[in-house]
Amino acid sequence: MKNIDVCLSPELLHQYDLNNKIVVVVDVLRATSCMVSGFANGVKEIVPVSTLEECKILQNEGYLAAAERNGSRAEGFDMGNSPFEYLEERVRGEKIAVTTTNGTMAINKSLEAKEILIGAFLNLGAITAYLKNKDEDIIVLCAGWKGKFNLEDSLFAGALCHLLKNDFEYACDAPLAAEAMYITAKKDIMTYMKDSSHAKRLAKLNVVKDIEFCVQESIYNVIPYLSGKSLITKS
Ligand code: 3SL
């Protein structure tokens, strides 16, 4: 039977064989939630890059450039990393270059995979429906925070495992642990996440509304995936 695994931090990715696997990269707060929101709002293409320098080069080539470091917009760029920026009229039909502290780096660490998808609570239903019919094994890669475990990405991983458990076997204990956490949290994810380190970090930056937005389940029907160097969407 095909299986599903969870990598709780990009620092653990070397333990996983990505060959012929589908990797779902998740950074609930906030990178992948922004990407999903952007595509739902009509963004044409998103290029995830790891450094500010690469993002600047693409900005000079005409891309809208979104850059976040430590939760704030980096100086000299067009956008930061709030889903509400990705819902603005001005991004529709545009190409966006983006670099964030953890999310874009996690995407770029997954390049050996057969397929790379972008997951968030916002598109949980669409991602689940798509994966159910796939024959490949799946790895959910949690972007975490600077190499460390985080609660919100692990909750998403648990939700996805829970929804796919009739179709995929759990490859190790990480899916079991993530699922148990999700089952405990699912009635009120916002309250469960309130004490998480990144929620506290974002609260200090006055962006609690971003957190409330990002924990909404399945409001968008888009499945962003990597094609060459760009993310585009399946629907
Ligand atoms: O690290 C990331 O990729 C970001 O999503 C972090 S933040 O939510 O913008 O602070």
Side-chain angles (χ1 to χ4, degrees), residues 27 29-31 68 71 81 100-103 145 198 202:
D27 186 346
L29 298 177
R30 292 166 292 176
E68 167 277 331
N81 197 34
T100 66
T101 309
N102 306 285
W145 181 261
H198 197 46
L202 292 176

Side-chain angles (χ1 to χ4, degrees), residues 45-67:
E45 174 190 337
I46 296 178
V47 182
V49 294
S50 300
T51 66
L52 293 171
E53 291 72 22
E54 291 168 280
C55 200
K56 198 38 122 187
I57 291 170
L58 291 173
Q59 185 181 35
N60 291 334
E61 288 175 11
Y63 283 74
L64 271 178

Side-chain angles (χ1 to χ4, degrees), residues 29-209:
L29 298 177
R30 292 166 292 176
T32 59
S33 298
C34 286
M35 291 165 182
V36 168
S37 304
F39 283 115
N41 185 35
V43 167
K44 190 174 166 199
E45 174 190 337
I46 296 178
V47 182
V49 294
S50 300
T51 66
L52 293 171
E53 291 72 22
E54 291 168 280
C55 200
K56 198 38 122 187
I57 291 170
L58 291 173
Q59 185 181 35
N60 291 334
E61 288 175 11
Y63 283 74
L64 271 178
E68 167 277 331
R69 287 295 179 268
N70 295 315
S72 300
R73 179 198 300 202
E75 222 182 296
F77 293 91
D78 307 305
M79 299 163 62
N81 197 34
S82 165
F84 295 105
E85 291 176 282
Y86 282 77
L87 292 172
E88 287 172 11
E89 176 81 45
R90 69 170 173 146
V91 306
R92 284 198 190 135
E94 295 291 340
K95 300 190 294 185
I96 302 179
V98 56
T99 181
T100 66
T101 309
N102 306 285
T104 56
M105 186 265 295
I107 295 168
N108 287 324
K109 276 194 159 186
S110 308
L111 299 179
E112 278 167 28
K114 180 172 182 188
E115 208 174 330
I116 299 174
L117 307 177
I118 298 302
F121 280 114
L122 301 175
N123 70 343
L124 177 62
I127 287 269
T128 305
Y130 175 75
L131 290 172
K132 260 184 190 293
N133 303 316
K134 300 297 285 187
D135 293 327
E136 294 84 359
D137 294 338
I138 300 167
I139 297 173
V140 188
L141 171 59
C142 301
W145 181 261
K146 298 188 178 176
K148 293 186 178 170
F149 169 94
N150 80 17
L151 205 58
E152 61 274 14
D153 299 341
S154 311
L155 283 174
F156 169 87
L160 191 57
C161 290
H162 186 58
L163 292 167
L164 290 173
K165 71 186 296 182
N166 293 331
D167 307 277
F168 291 80
E169 219 161 41
Y170 288 177
C172 74
D173 289 353
L176 265 182
E179 184 195 22
M181 201 163 42
Y182 172 68
I183 289 170
T184 306
K186 73 175 181 181
K187 266 203 188 118
D188 187 356
I189 295 219
M190 187 64 196
T191 302
Y192 193 81
M193 267 175 45
K194 174 165 93 338
D195 291 328
S196 74
S197 54
H198 197 46
K200 284 183 182 161
R201 202 174 289 121
L202 292 176
K204 275 191 198 143
L205 297 170
N206 283 324
V207 285
V208 173
K209 68 177 191 343

